[in-house]
Structure formats: C-alpha cells, structure tokens
Amino acid sequence: METTTTTFELDKTFPGIVMADTRSGYEGYLIPSDQLLKVCADLKNKHGYDLLSSVTGVDYLSEGKMEVVYHAFKSSGGPALVFKCQIERVDPMEMPSVTSIWPGADFQEREIWDLYGIKFTGHPDLRRILMWEGFEGHPMRKDWKEAFYEEEKKPLKSRWPQGNHKYAETKTPYGDNVRFDAGFDPEKWVPTDPEEALYTALKKFKTEVKDGIQTDHIIVNMGPQHPSTHGVFRAVALLNGEEILSLKPVLGYLHRNHEKIGERNTYIQNIPYTDRLDYFNSMYNAWAYSLAVEKLLGLEVPERAEYIRVIMGELSRIQNHLILFGMLWNDLGAYFTPALYAFEERELILDIFESVSGSRMMCNYHRFGGVVRDVNPMNMQKIKDLAFDRLPRKVEEFDKLLSENEIFVSRMKGVGYLSPEDAIGYSVTGPTLRAAGIPYDIRRVNPYGIYDRFDFDIPVRHNSDLLDRYLVRVEEIRQSIRILQQALNTIPEGPIITGKPSYQIKVPAGEAYGRIEHPKGELGFYVVSDGSANPYRYHIRTPSFVNITSLEKMCVGTKIADFVTILGMIDIVLGELDR
Amino acid sequence: MYGKGLLKGLSVTFNRFFQSYLEDIRWLVKKYPKVEFRSSKDTRGTFTVEYPEQSVIIPEEFRFVPFLVYDEGEHGEKNIRCTSCGICAKACPPQCIWIVRSTDPETGRPVPQPAEFYIDFDICMNCGLCAEFCPFDAIKMDHDYEISSYTRNLADKERLMKPASYYESIRPENFKREETAREAKAAAKAAAKA
C-alpha cells in the first residue's frame, strides 16, 4: 500500500542544506533553489535515483510561495524520494532547470513554465507547451480565472435552491478576470508569430553544398490533422532528404486544463473527469486517483474490491494493447483488417465494462475505498469465459496473424532505437522501457493493491527497437491473462467498499502521490489537500506526456516514414497528452 | 523460407473470411438476429449489428441521461419523488442540474417539491453520480440513448418525469432491491412509532 515512504534520509546526507518537510501531512525534503542542482546531481550519480518520474508546481498563494515538487525513483525499484524547492511568489520567478541531470524533466518543466510561470534557467527550449505562444497569463495560478468564471469552487450556488437555468452564451465570458496593460490599444496591437519560437527551436534552417549541388533542409509539419497521429497531435520535423535531423512535437490542441477543472471540483466529482484522460483505460485512471485520495484519507480497501480492481484493470490492459496493434497496422498500411480483428475482442471486454459499470468507456467505476457496484455472477461468468477460453485462443491467433509477417518485421526491426540509459534519463516508463532491457514494472518494483499476491512475469527484451516494444506487449497480454485467471480463481466474497460513500468528503490536509502501472507507463496522481472538500492541487503525471519527451531522440536519424510507426509505438492518447 | 510468416498471417484472414460465410448460412437456417450470440465467448463471423434495424442488448446498469421518477396515484396523479433537497445538483460534476425549490405562497417557507427542474443534456456527462447519491430514489439514469434533435437538449421537469413503472421495466433488479429497502424502512419507522 505504502509507495512513498522514504528510508533514505536526505537531510542527514546533506546537513545544513536540505531540510525535512515538516508541514503536517507532507513528506520529503525542502532544498533551497541555489543548491538544487548540486543535490540533484549527487542524488542521481551517488544515490541511484536515476528516474525522475514527476515534476510539478504548486501555488501556495496565501503563503506567498511557489513550490516545485519532484518525485524521483530508482530504476531498480523502491519507494519515491520526494523533494521540493520553494521560491518567493514574486515575478519573475526563476529556478534552476534539472534537465541537464534528468532530460526527462524537459516537457514537465515547460508545462510548469506554461501553467505557473516559473522560469527554469538553463532549460534548453523553454517555450509554452499546452497553451499557445502569446497566451496571456499562467492558468494554473490560484489567482487566474477562466472565461465564464463563476465561483472558486463547486458546487456552484447558482444551481440550487434558486436554479433558474441560463445558457452560458447569455453570460459575459470575461468579467474582472481580464486585465489590459495601461495604454493598450486593440487597434494597434500586432500579434506575435506563435510559430517563430518553434521554428527557431528546431535547428536553424541552413543550406549546404554537397557534391557541387545546393541542398536545402526542409521543414515538414505532420498534423495536427493527420491520420497517423491518432488525434490532434502535431510534429514539426527538419529533414535532410528523407532523414529526420530534428523534430519537435507540438501539443495542446486538445488542452482543456483538466487540472484547473479538477481543483474547482470536489473530490468525488473528479472521478468521472479522470475517465476522460486516457479514454481507453478509464478503469486505470480512476484507480490511480483513488489510490492517492485513499492514502490521504487512510482508507483500507476491502479484499473483494481489490480483486475487482485488478480484474477490471487487466481486462483494460488487454484491450489497450489490442487497439495499439490494430492501429499500428493501420498506420503501416494494412488498412483495417487487423484493427477490426482487435476491435472484436475489445468489444467483448467493453460489453463487460458496460454491464458492470454502466458505460463502455467512461466507466466511473472506482470510489474512494472500493468500487461502486459488485460484479454479479452472470458477469463473473462472462469474464471467466473470456479469461479462460476466448482470450488465450485469440491472442495466439493474433500472434500468428502479425508477429512473423516479413513486411511487418522489416518495418520494425532496428527502428527507433533508444538506449537503456536514455530511456531512464528521459523518464520513459511502461513497455518502451521494458523493451530497452529494464525490468521496471510498478506492479512488481513497488506493488500497490494486491499485486504482490499474483504470480506473473515481467516481459523484458533487449534490442530496444519497435519490434521489441511490440513483442513485449504481446507477452504482456499473456501475463495479464495469467493474472486474470489467478484473480478469478481466488476472488473472495465480501463487501466492495469501506464505509458509506458520500458526495462531499472532507480530506485531511496533506499531500499524496498515487501511481500505478498503466498500460502506457507510469500513471501518477499528485493530490494536495488543504482540509476542505476540494483538492488544493490536483496533478496528473500521464505516461503519454512524459514518454513523448523521448520522441525526438528516437526519431533523429530515421526516415520520416518511420516517424509514424515510432509515434504509434509510444502509444499516446491525446486525451491525456494534452489534458 | 521468406514469406512464410506472411502466408501464416494470411491463413488467419482466409479462415475468418470463410467462417463469416459459414456463420451467415448457419444463422439463415436458425432465427436470424444473432445479437445474443454476438456477445458470447464463441462469437464468430460477422460481428457488426445492423443498427437501427437491430441494436445491441442494453444491460441493466447501462446509464444515459437522468430522469425523474414519479409514483402514479390512484386517480392518475403524478406524485414526484423529488424533494428538491439539491444533493444531485451539488454532486453533479459538470453542474448541469438546475433546481428551483417551491415555497408555500402563504407562509413563504420551502416546500419539499421542485418548482422547476432543469437538466442540460448537452452538458451532462452521464456519470450517474446524481442517481447514486439521491436519498429518495427520485432521480435515475435512463436507457433511452436516441435523443439527438435539431435543437438544444435542455430538459425541463415535464420532459424529465417518467413513471416508476417505466423505471421498473428498465431496471427490474435495482427496482426490486430499492422497494424492499423502502418497505423495510417504512416498517421500522412504523414499529418505532408504535
């Protein structure tokens, strides 16, 4: 259950520099910003904290402080090391960037700059990432208000008892939440070019003379409307002929500031919202969020609920990987045959989700301290039919259909290489990391729930190319079926939730980080509570967002056509990439 | 042999291809709509359902936009169960429920009846939290998902109200469980009074 207790004592290792965080309910250490780089370098090089999982900001408005929270892990396993760096909340706020130590902090620091306005000195490419260049303000700050702002927190007072319905468009979108500089004249305002910084960030456009012929490097935009990007994702590549010289992903087309919405919501209202992050795996999102809040509440989950969570989770993992295979083949030109074969099994799994939770994709099934509804014997039989009979059969059929296909193998073998050191450095988790030879699976290295009871293997391969990432996932499906079979054989009867669920719970003040092994990698929820009914800070460390940091590294040197496959294999979902 | 893997894969496709015809013939002999068979573990052949002529089976727990339950009185009056306590409006994540509480015209004090009840179906995310936390079993999730229209879907009290018998027809097991619990509660109350 405990995933973030620290046995390694940072304040004793760096006496006089590092202080323990003594606020009630908080854990970890406070590092002054001028010593941050020194301590971090030591942490990575001497103490083995090589995987910086999550970096995020918190705005303590009333205390006049901005805080950046780091969660570092060892790739060999074990609990988190939480450390924080606080600065005065006076613009301009500056803090050293840790990208030189952990390159995986790249996008996460850009996100903090974008949403909180903390400048990271030494960051190689500090631009906005989710909002567009030229956006005014930093939306996650506590004093920033969105359009149609009504109240700081839900439930809104206008809904009851005098809830006369009003359409949003009849209201003024902006009230006192818009500020203009003195002397601002809209007539004379010239917008800055939002793309300029992006193209400057790619290597400078240059002309070469090769064999007496003048050659140009060209810039190619893939997306945001491109069938291979699985949504509104855009990548800008600088090409030399067909070869990629440098590549920058452009995100945020589906950005809705999920975290801001989450901080306006009450705790329970966030559960249906988490379903919309990675909409293929809503069972996992709510699980990770529940883990974090349960840690704050100190709730125990009943046995049967733990088993149900595992069963639903592993079913979800199987269908996620099946979709990936199907869509990958679609990208590679096999059109829809494998995709529809994959969808057939997925349909059967979604039928179970629908029957159990009420919805095929937006399950809204987990609650704090259990699950919302029991699985009745009819559904249990359906799951058993799948786990013991149909899925093992179909996985082998899928394997036969795809794995040895020569065209497929030649497109995948040796493409998109990422060295194990880079994979850890870029904070890559999930199947991509395991294909690089590192057996890092949170279910095993830092077990949550009841995963320590099951007998299963962590599939690992060592070539770290696309083929290996594919084969690791095939093996993962087989292991998921194994876990399913064990769970179905041993599931006990009993209650499915601790206590009576309430629509407004008060959560004790403190912070918690709940993380699980999502099919795409590590999914973490960082929740800070101030003791009220709404979370003070609600951050999601999504696997898609962090894994995409390594995209440029994997793509440089390959052909532009391989970009499609490499991106497909990272397995991104735009709902959680852009949040 | 180069190309062996390709042929192996194609054998799977061929197998499926023939199976879909065999299945069609098999279901021509039997009764055609094979929707029940579709969601079983042995399903084979064509998997798609010819909506709107056929549609997949809706499980009891399926949830779509909410409705308000009323009990039918002896003379056909509609006794709405809602007491306008506002719990659903407070629990609603996208805040799409708008309730105006009734007041007694003489005393000016609140009456446990909603004067107006709106649900903005365009905003509703079908999460079912309102139905989950309603202490009076007054708001429930519907099964009717064919609500597309040319105008916006703002449902008022008239449109939301549906009889308890309808609720029983879509969710028989839930209905039975709730009725037993209510009767037990009423009996306990009567026993406490006596």
Side-chain angles (χ1 to χ4, degrees):
Chain A
M1 203 60 218
E2 282 294 272
T3 54
T4 46
T5 41
T6 323
T7 43
F8 167 67
E9 284 176 3
L10 199 60
D11 50 341
K12 302 238 169 84
T13 323
F14 298 95
I17 301 173
V18 178
M19 311 261 282
D21 192 349
T22 49
R23 289 170 290 179
S24 135
Y26 286 74
E27 59 184 334
Y29 304 94
L30 293 173
I31 303 177
S33 63
D34 52 336
Q35 299 287 332
L36 183 70
L37 283 185
K38 185 175 154 273
V39 176
C40 286
D42 269 15
L43 277 179
K44 188 188 174 185
N45 300 328
K46 287 191 192 154
H47 303 289
Y49 284 93
D50 47 0
L51 185 76
L52 182 70
S53 164
S54 154
V55 186
T56 187
V58 188
D59 177 9
Y60 290 103
L61 180 64
S62 56
E63 291 153 41
K65 287 255 164 46
M66 249 331 158
E67 188 177 278
V68 177
V69 187
Y70 301 82
H71 286 82
F73 293 88
K74 291 177 183 174
S75 62
S76 52
L81 179 74
V82 190
F83 53 94
K84 294 147 197 178
C85 184
Q86 287 190 336
I87 44 168
E88 292 298 315
R89 197 181 181 284
V90 189
D91 278 315
M93 290 177 253
E94 283 192 3
M95 196 178 273
S97 163
V98 296
T99 41
S100 55
I101 300 159
W102 292 291
D106 185 348
F107 283 13
Q108 302 194 62
E109 283 185 351
R110 275 177 69 189
E111 188 193 343
I112 299 171
W113 154 243
D114 191 357
L115 302 181
Y116 281 99
I118 300 174
K119 267 211 156 79
F120 288 92
T121 47
H123 190 286
D125 179 24
L126 197 66
R127 288 176 290 125
R128 284 186 182 270
I129 187 163
L130 294 171
M131 311 305 291
W132 56 96
E133 245 4 278
F135 183 84
E136 179 67 32
H138 300 284
M140 281 305 288
R141 288 188 181 181
K142 283 284 172 188
D143 50 4
W144 190 91
K145 288 165 186 169
E146 67 276 22
F148 298 109
Y149 168 80
E150 213 170 316
E151 267 175 67
E152 201 60 44
K153 283 168 180 181
K154 288 177 188 175
L156 305 174
K157 291 189 180 65
S158 61
R159 303 299 196 261
W160 179 86
Q162 283 305 314
N164 286 304
H165 180 266
K166 264 193 209 130
Y167 281 119
E169 68 262 26
T170 60
K171 294 185 245 169
T172 327
Y174 299 103
D176 58 355
N177 47 358
V178 177
R179 274 190 307 271
F180 294 103
D181 294 334
F184 176 78
D185 183 0
E187 296 291 316
K188 287 179 187 152
W189 178 67
V190 185
T192 47
D193 180 9
E195 306 292 71
E196 202 183 303
L198 168 70
Y199 293 132
T200 331
L202 287 163
K203 278 187 202 108
K204 289 269 188 296
F205 185 89
K206 64 180 178 203
T207 307
E208 281 179 352
V209 178
K210 232 180 193 176
D211 303 332
I213 304 166
Q214 187 180 315
T215 56
D216 281 345
H217 290 169
I218 49 168
I219 285 178
V220 170
N221 273 282
M222 303 267 289
Q225 304 292 331
H226 192 278
S228 80
T229 55
H230 304 264
V232 276
F233 175 80
R234 173 179 162 213
V236 191
L238 183 74
L239 301 182
N240 177 20
E242 267 191 274
E243 191 189 324
I244 298 175
L245 291 178
S246 96
L247 180 138
K248 293 277 173 202
V250 184
L251 326 174
Y253 292 94
L254 207 64
H255 181 60
R256 52 205 184 269
N257 217 341
H258 181 101
E259 292 177 6
K260 188 86 178 178
I261 299 171
E263 287 172 17
R264 300 243 189 269
N265 281 348
T266 62
Y267 281 93
I268 195 115
Q269 282 173 351
N270 270 332
I271 294 177
Y273 274 97
T274 60
D275 293 345
R276 275 100 180 141
L277 283 168
D278 176 358
Y279 36 79
F280 291 124
N281 296 295
S282 60
M283 288 289 186
Y284 274 110
N285 301 333
W287 189 358
Y289 176 55
S290 305
L291 272 187
V293 178
E294 277 156 14
K295 218 180 270 178
L296 282 170
L297 287 167
L299 269 183
E300 284 290 322
V301 181
E303 280 283 287
R304 188 174 171 84
E306 289 278 23
Y307 274 89
I308 293 175
R309 285 179 174 191
V310 168
I311 291 169
M312 293 302 157
E314 294 306 326
L315 281 174
S316 186
R317 190 185 307 274
I318 293 169
Q319 57 94 14
N320 177 75
H321 286 347
L322 283 175
I323 292 185
L324 173 79
F325 300 160
M327 285 304 158
L328 183 79
W329 270 77
N330 195 6
D331 291 345
L332 285 175
Y335 202 48
F336 258 113
T337 306
L340 289 178
Y341 286 5
F343 266 60
E344 210 172 289
E345 305 325 305
R346 175 168 182 260
E347 274 291 308
L348 293 175
I349 292 172
L350 291 196
D351 277 348
I352 289 169
F353 287 173
E354 187 181 27
S355 186
V356 169
S357 73
S359 194
R360 307 170 73 75
M361 290 172 83
M362 304 299 144
C363 296
N364 188 18
Y365 188 56
H366 293 69
R367 293 288 176 273
F368 310 132
V371 293
V372 65
R373 211 171 285 115
D374 205 350
V375 182
N376 63 22
M378 184 194 78
N379 287 325
M380 204 51 108
Q381 189 53 45
K382 268 190 181 173
I383 301 173
K384 279 182 181 162
D385 287 346
L386 279 188
F388 288 100
D389 184 7
R390 187 175 170 99
L391 286 176
R393 199 154 36 97
K394 288 290 166 181
V395 170
E396 295 320 312
E397 189 190 283
F398 231 82
D399 202 26
K400 194 176 161 194
L401 174 72
L402 305 178
S403 301
E404 286 173 40
N405 188 317
E406 280 81 2
I407 302 169
F408 180 64
V409 170
S410 66
R411 280 297 299 272
M412 311 275 276
K413 209 167 194 172
V415 178
Y417 177 74
L418 188 70
S419 72
E421 294 77 27
D422 280 339
I424 298 177
Y426 278 96
S427 305
V428 172
T429 44
T432 317
L433 184 62
R434 291 191 283 276
I438 293 144
Y440 187 81
D441 186 316
I442 302 168
R443 292 176 293 176
R444 183 56 58 76
V445 296
N446 193 358
Y448 52 93
I450 51 165
Y451 272 112
D452 47 354
R453 294 184 202 173
F454 298 115
D455 179 28
F456 63 100
D457 301 327
I458 307 295
V460 175
R461 295 185 78 85
H462 299 276
N463 295 329
S464 195
D465 57 359
L466 296 178
L467 188 66
D468 272 12
R469 284 169 209 156
Y470 166 79
L471 292 172
V472 160
R473 284 182 169 100
V474 174
E475 191 52 36
E476 252 176 47
I477 295 185
R478 296 204 181 100
Q479 297 303 328
S480 284
I481 295 173
R482 255 178 92 186
I483 298 174
L484 267 178
Q485 291 176 345
Q486 293 171 44
L488 286 165
N489 278 335
T490 49
I491 181 168
E493 290 296 321
I496 48 149
I497 192 160
T498 309
K500 199 172 174 293
S502 159
Y503 67 96
Q504 44 190 17
I505 45 163
K506 285 259 187 329
V507 175
E511 59 165 7
Y513 183 67
R515 62 171 194 154
I516 59 168
E517 184 68 31
H518 184 275
K520 296 174 168 65
E522 174 185 337
L523 174 70
F525 276 75
Y526 177 69
V527 180
V528 176
S529 167
D530 59 352
S532 71
N534 309 60
Y536 186 78
R537 177 77 177 105
Y538 164 81
H539 172 71
I540 308 127
R541 183 257 191 231
T542 57
S544 296
F545 183 75
V546 182
N547 287 356
I548 209 83
T549 320
S550 63
L551 180 66
E552 183 175 10
K553 192 87 191 166
M554 288 190 225
C555 285
V556 168
T558 59
K559 301 266 187 289
I560 183 79
D562 289 329
F563 160 76
V564 171
T565 341
I566 294 169
L567 181 72
M569 252 322 174
I570 297 178
D571 196 5
I572 55 163
V573 153
L574 270 291
E576 73 171 12
L577 185 73
D578 290 347
R579 300 199 291 300
Chain B
M1 188 189 84
Y2 191 80
K4 199 177 147 201
L6 207 99
L7 290 175
K8 225 170 144 183
L10 281 176
S11 74
V12 175
T13 328
F14 267 116
N15 210 347
R16 290 244 185 173
F17 177 73
F18 284 119
Q19 241 174 36
S20 67
Y21 282 99
L22 285 177
E23 279 296 289
D24 274 3
I25 294 164
R26 208 180 113 197
W27 286 100
L28 270 182
V29 178
K30 293 186 179 181
K31 227 171 78 204
Y32 196 75
K34 53 160 202 161
V35 179
E36 283 94 352
F37 185 65
R38 176 187 175 276
S39 60
S40 80
K41 70 178 164 73
D42 296 312
T43 178
R44 270 180 313 225
T46 317
F47 195 70
T48 41
V49 169
E50 289 167 21
Y51 182 81
E53 279 78 29
Q54 304 169 356
S55 54
V56 290
I57 301 160
I58 297 175
E60 177 172 343
E61 293 299 347
F62 173 75
R63 54 184 147 80
F64 207 62
V65 291
F67 67 96
L68 293 173
V69 185
Y70 69 81
D71 292 310
E72 283 154 305
E74 280 173 26
H75 308 291
E77 66 263 37
K78 298 174 174 178
N79 300 323
I80 190 163
R81 288 183 183 177
C82 176
T83 62
S84 74
C85 67
I87 286 179
C88 51
K90 287 176 202 158
C92 176
Q95 297 281 291
C96 69
I97 302 180
W98 303 67
I99 306 169
V100 180
R101 195 165 56 187
S102 301
T103 45
D104 194 307
E106 283 168 29
T107 58
R109 286 168 61 184
V111 182
Q113 277 271 324
E116 284 174 64
F117 201 110
Y118 297 103
I119 296 181
D120 200 334
F121 284 170
D122 300 331
I123 294 172
C124 177
M125 66 205 289
N126 307 325
C127 65
L129 287 185
C130 51
E132 203 177 310
F133 292 114
C134 179
F136 305 100
D137 297 324
I139 188 165
K140 290 291 166 195
M141 298 305 279
D142 209 340
H143 275 190
D144 179 19
Y145 50 85
E146 290 162 327
I147 61 162
S148 63
S149 68
Y150 286 103
T151 54
R152 295 180 52 172
N153 270 311
L154 175 70
D156 57 1
K157 202 168 97 179
E158 272 312 296
R159 180 169 166 193
L160 287 170
M161 285 207 334
K162 288 185 179 178
S165 54
Y166 171 75
Y167 175 50
E168 190 183 2
S169 71
I170 60 167
R171 291 174 198 267
E173 275 174 38
N174 278 296
F175 183 80
K176 215 162 81 190
R177 195 179 58 234
E178 282 156 16
E179 285 305 301
T180 348
R182 258 142 66 100
E183 273 160 26
K185 214 173 164 186
K189 219 174 174 181
K193 247 180 197 171

